[in-house]
Amino acid sequence: MILTEKETTAIEDLRTQEKGLVDKYHRCISEAKDPVLQDLFKELEKKQQKHYDTLGQVLSGTVPRCDCNCSAGKEYSPVATYTGMSDTEDKTNDCFLATDCIGSEKLASSEYNTNVFNFAEPEVRKLLADIQVEEQSYAEMLYKYKTVNSMK
């Protein structure tokens, strides 16, 4: 498969975004106070690294197969660390981190939605649509974390 200049630029831009997410989650792991949130950030860092690597394969001419069936968000069921009544500095910090990452996931999902139509190859469009769904699923996981911990 040979990408056009426009397609190559779109993949490079998406890959830059994924690298930013990998770096963000890596930083959030050390900034989070709750071990449950740290574990979630570790999981999301790995998933974003996979997206980064996948886009690298597309740049080299290979379109990896995708399962197009992301259920991570649906199946994620975090255990509450913070009680509804507690408003500690740690909880406030973790709420900020989770909220900020939800915003990043929304942006990533939107970028995939916009860029998917730049591609002529149906398998690339399918792959990008799958990654978009995964990004939405990661935001759902973060939202569930906030909900179970009574975070606003």
Side-chain angles (χ1 to χ4, degrees), residues 54-81:
T54 297
L55 294 172
Q57 290 176 335
V58 173
L59 283 174
S60 68
T62 304
V63 182
R65 293 185 53 81
C66 60
D67 64 7
C68 297
N69 187 21
C70 183
S71 57
K74 181 178 164 187
E75 295 173 358
Y76 183 65
S77 183
V79 177
T81 301

Side-chain angles (χ1 to χ4, degrees), residues 27 45 71:
R27 177 174 279 182
E45 178 188 28
S71 57

